[in-house]
Amino acid sequence: MTMEISQLDQILTHGFDTVIDVRSPAEFAEDHVPGAINLPVLDNEERARVGTIYKQESPFLARKIGAALVFRNASAHIEGPLAQFDGAWRPLVYCWRGGQRSGSFAWMLGQIGWRSELIRGGYKAYRRLVTERLYDAPLGLRVIQLGGYTGTAKTELLHRLAHRNVQVLDLEGLARHRGSLLGGMPGGQPSQKAFESALVLALHGMDPTRPVLVEAESSKIGELLVPPSIWAAMKVAPWIEVTAPISARSVYLAEAYDDILSDGEALRDKLRHLVAFRGAAVVDHWYKLIDAGDRLALTAALAEQHYDPAYAKSMRAVEPEIIARFDTQSLSPSALDTLANRIADQFQSGALI
């Protein structure tokens, strides 16, 4: 049985018990269908070896060697992670383009008695639909941007607002980056393709009659690009803006960036790149604050001397339509809860729609 997919909804709400990606671990790590598990029928080295034989020696020899490897690995999966399933289990299988790897594995599963199906066109068919959604078509959602100076806890506010029935799209969370020079997070960022898979999953099921709140970003988050359909909607979106005093922001930044501030050498290395923009004297002052271990003074200085001027310059260039401003004197958890309630009330009353 083969599953034809012409819309993302078909793969995101497929109804199968398990989606199995039989591609190599390296292919799976770059990107995969959301929720899929990886049961490779050729590992990275085996895939490279078979490919080399196919190109340099003989397609027939490559297929013969590949078949032996595929069935050997498939039998290990059946004895291992698939041993728990009974006869009612329904798997959906795919490889790169719905060819020999997935076909062989699905055939074996079918011979056992499981009702396995293939995705026609494999990962490439799914990826084509992702590209259409994020590159070729309008977003189809009304976006509102959440703006404010660095350190106004915008990402934390998004999370709180999501729990208050506000539709949100957390770009930084999906990109695994805090969106600034010091924004890197442990584990690094996903690939561009994996980021886009996370985006289509997050967008899936959103109500087009309700606005979507997105944190104000540039078109690039760390090393990842915001796809065109989302970026086009953001560029014309109205803003709501959060303001807080520098004293509250410096406390928040010192806590939120604890991992970065704890590694003085790495921090100095990152800040070194700002000499060309802020001058050697300013950066040397930051270095002294790092050496002194004065985190509050350092985060305040970074905000006032680097991030705030950059934000002000961006605002002059963008000139967004600001439809509401929300001020808070503190960014403590309780203060953020209060602020989130105020913003959510505005959404629910229809004042921001």
Side-chain angles (χ1 to χ4, degrees):
M1 296 286 291
T2 301
M3 177 183 179
E4 299 273 359
I5 56 172
S6 57
Q7 297 180 352
L8 275 171
D9 280 359
Q10 292 173 269
I11 192 64
L12 297 178
T13 56
H14 50 76
F16 287 84
D17 296 317
T18 311
V19 180
I20 302 174
D21 185 323
V22 300
R23 297 176 303 156
S24 68
E27 292 173 291
F28 182 83
E30 182 184 21
D31 185 34
H32 52 267
V33 169
I37 64 170
N38 188 210
L39 297 180
V41 293
L42 294 175
D43 65 24
N44 298 333
E45 293 75 20
E46 290 166 344
R47 177 172 175 262
R49 176 190 169 203
V50 170
T52 299
I53 293 171
Y54 186 94
K55 292 179 180 178
Q56 297 183 0
E57 297 185 46
S58 160
F60 174 78
L61 180 60
R63 284 193 291 269
K64 183 170 68 171
I65 293 173
L69 293 169
V70 164
F71 284 107
R72 184 184 306 158
N73 292 330
S75 66
H77 296 322
I78 292 166
E79 291 179 325
L82 303 185
Q84 61 178 308
F85 296 114
D86 61 21
W89 178 61
R90 294 183 63 235
L92 179 63
V93 184
Y94 72 92
C95 63
W96 176 248
R97 64 181 70 186
Q100 293 181 332
R101 286 182 289 176
S102 58
S104 299
F105 191 61
W107 175 85
M108 179 177 281
L109 298 181
Q111 292 303 301
I112 294 169
W114 286 315
R115 292 173 294 164
S116 59
E117 291 192 27
L118 289 173
I119 298 177
R120 182 180 294 278
Y123 169 80
K124 288 189 69 176
Y126 159 73
R127 178 62 193 170
R128 185 188 68 250
L129 295 175
V130 172
T131 300
E132 289 175 0
R133 177 71 177 94
L134 297 179
Y135 286 77
D136 302 334
L139 184 61
L141 295 165
R142 179 174 180 251
V143 170
I144 295 176
Q145 294 213 59
L146 175 62
Y149 283 111
T150 295
T152 47
K154 296 184 291 295
T155 299
E156 285 204 35
L157 276 173
L158 280 183
H159 297 165
R160 282 169 163 78
L161 288 164
H163 288 296
R164 289 162 172 79
N165 201 35
V166 176
Q167 281 194 142
V168 305
L169 181 62
D170 182 7
L171 293 174
E172 290 188 2
L174 298 176
R176 295 206 294 269
H177 196 279
R178 287 166 290 205
S180 67
L181 175 70
L182 306 181
M185 298 175 68
Q189 294 188 267
S191 69
Q192 181 70 33
K193 290 180 179 179
F195 175 49
E196 291 170 5
S197 280
L199 284 170
V200 295
L201 183 61
L203 292 169
H204 175 68
M206 283 193 174
D207 184 349
T209 67
R210 297 168 55 209
V212 178
L213 188 62
V214 178
E215 184 173 345
E217 304 282 356
S218 68
S219 61
K220 194 173 183 182
I221 306 174
E223 296 300 316
L224 300 178
L225 294 173
V226 176
S229 67
I230 297 176
W231 182 240
M234 290 174 66
K235 286 194 295 183
V236 297
W239 284 40
I240 61 175
E241 191 172 47
V242 174
T243 61
I246 187 62
S247 56
R249 291 163 52 208
S250 62
V251 170
Y252 176 80
L253 287 168
E255 295 174 355
Y257 284 76
D258 176 72
D259 56 328
I260 300 293
L261 299 173
S262 296
D263 189 342
E265 282 306 309
L267 179 57
R268 291 168 71 97
D269 186 60
K270 290 178 183 293
L271 296 179
R272 188 171 295 115
H273 300 287
L274 295 180
V275 170
F277 301 97
R278 304 301 174 200
V282 169
V283 175
D284 284 342
H285 174 62
W286 297 342
Y287 288 168
K288 291 176 183 177
L289 294 175
I290 294 172
D291 294 338
D294 193 341
R295 292 188 175 191
L296 290 181
L298 175 61
T299 53
L302 287 170
E304 292 181 311
Q305 296 174 316
H306 174 62
Y307 287 112
D308 289 5
Y311 180 80
K313 180 180 179 181
S314 174
M315 291 292 280
R316 289 193 297 271
V318 175
E319 294 185 336
E321 175 195 2
I322 298 177
I323 56 176
R325 284 189 171 88
F326 298 88
D327 179 63
T328 180
Q329 293 303 302
S330 170
L331 295 166
S332 67
S334 61
L336 289 175
D337 282 333
T338 299
L339 180 58
N341 288 334
R342 291 168 55 202
I343 297 173
D345 287 346
Q346 292 291 299
F347 273 92
Q348 290 159 6
S349 70
L352 301 178
I353 297 176

